[in-house]
Amino acid sequence: MALSSTRNDSPRRADAIGDPPQRPTLVPADRYYSPAFARLEVERMWPRVWQAACTVDHVAEAGDYFEYRCGPYSVLIVRDDDGALRAFQNACRHRGNALCTGAGSSLRELKCGYHGWTWDLAGALKRIPNRKGFGSVHMSEFPLAPVRVDTWERLVFVNLDMSAMPLADYLEAVPGDIAWCGLGDFRCYATMTIDVDANWKTIADGYSETYHVQTLHPELHRCMDDVYAPQTIWGHTGKSESLYGVPSPRLADALSDEEVWDAYVCTQGPLMGVAEGTPFPRDRQSPGQTVADVIATQIKEFAAGRGVDIGWADTDQVMCLHQYNIFPNLTLLASADHLTVMTSLPGPDPDRGQLVMTLTTRMPPDAPRVRPTDVRLAADEAHPGVVMSQDLAVLSGLQRGLHQPAITHLTLSAEERRIINMHRNLERYLDLPESERMSAAEVGG
């Protein structure tokens, strides 16, 4: 059996640590469970940041609507009669009743189900039943409260702050960095909302570092380089790059191509249309090809079977996973034929939250619309694959551990710099006094 190797003609990537700091970064643990801290987030942060609410596929046609909830806030996103995308605070201007819940289509007006106040899809008030009871009232005085809405590729973002910076500025270098991938060709076919016994930050942190791969994901460790996984921080945003189809350099013993293939099929098999237990296709490996080349070829053939041509992508573009973090709660995983979007949301108290997985597939440009299916599950009911299930299983224990008296701070490594950057931005939005900020040595970019 041939031993697996990386591509000899590829320059070695930088490692995930970068320039190590003199000391670890200490983050106060009560940020993850304090009701007072959660209230600060609700008051000072959530209403001022851009948040990925849904996809264009949810609101593709006139009359489509989608309700986005984050903590106490509810935003109604609608496609109006003229095809424009609009968003409003989801509240009747009479007594605050929610106008719509969930997602749907064929909406022609926004009518409160309590007393019948009615708006058009552009947010203008059209009708007040028994209007004379209000005395002198002008319809123009009571439009629906607008929310900023914008799109990047097929993601729909909202911001309650009407004076917020443009979305394009907020995203910083991310759109340009991933433009080669053509994210606009991916269509959402489902969202999965998973209720978790953990703070939204506990959830988000798990998708902001690769330090845990060697312990929590033994199968993934056999087919992913978690050492030479460079990270970049821009401001609101950051990213890491991890090459798949190669064993981790941390492993003491070399793995055969068959062993790397088996690990990839176990953890990523659906991405290439291969069932677990499928043997390594040795007869398809040309001289000089790595197992990563063989996997990349299989992924391209799987895409072609769906009418999708990714022949333009080389092995690194197919096998390198680009993971982007966008403050405060968005993680985007992308490669040539893969896009998963994950957001973490606050729950009814600081020890509960939700993980929302937006599941997509690359489609031919002329493919008909597929209306996404939206499902909600408890953590013990969700089985989103080997790796994601391992991530979910550890969250409740993490959250409980943070309450223990000895755990006054999280102790973070430079490998966890994207978590550190999230806290740096959080401190800025919350305007925390110096005494409540993390103690951090600067780490490399």
Side-chain angles (χ1 to χ4, degrees), residues 44-45 48-51 157 159 161 164-175 208 232-239 324-331 417-430:
R44 301 181 184 179
M45 188 270 289
R48 297 171 55 206
V49 293
W50 283 100
Q51 301 169 57
F157 288 78
N159 194 322
D161 182 1
M165 71 173 68
L167 175 63
D169 295 339
Y170 192 90
L171 295 175
E172 298 168 332
V174 172
S208 303
T232 303
I233 300 295
W234 289 299
H236 282 109
T237 61
K239 77 162 184 174
Y324 295 89
N325 296 92
I326 299 171
F327 181 80
N329 63 336
L330 175 63
T331 296
R417 72 184 65 190
R418 284 175 289 146
I419 299 176
I420 295 169
N421 189 57
M422 183 274 288
H423 282 280
R424 184 179 295 121
N425 279 293
L426 189 59
E427 291 177 345
R428 181 165 56 87
Y429 275 88
L430 301 190

Side-chain angles (χ1 to χ4, degrees), residues 30-103:
D30 64 357
R31 294 183 179 186
Y32 288 76
Y33 58 80
S34 162
F37 196 87
R39 283 194 297 272
L40 274 183
E41 292 174 340
V42 167
E43 294 168 5
R44 301 181 184 179
M45 188 270 289
W46 289 117
R48 297 171 55 206
V49 293
W50 283 100
Q51 301 169 57
C54 63
T55 69
V56 171
D57 301 292
H58 287 92
V59 284
E61 300 170 3
D64 288 348
Y65 66 92
F66 186 91
E67 180 202 16
Y68 173 69
R69 292 186 187 181
C70 178
Y73 300 113
S74 175
V75 175
L76 183 60
I77 303 160
V78 299
R79 182 76 66 177
D80 76 12
D81 297 326
D82 296 327
L85 198 60
R86 300 184 184 275
F88 307 102
Q89 294 181 32
N90 187 16
C92 175
R93 293 295 305 274
H94 173 217
R95 282 169 54 185
N97 185 47
L99 298 172
C100 293
T101 59

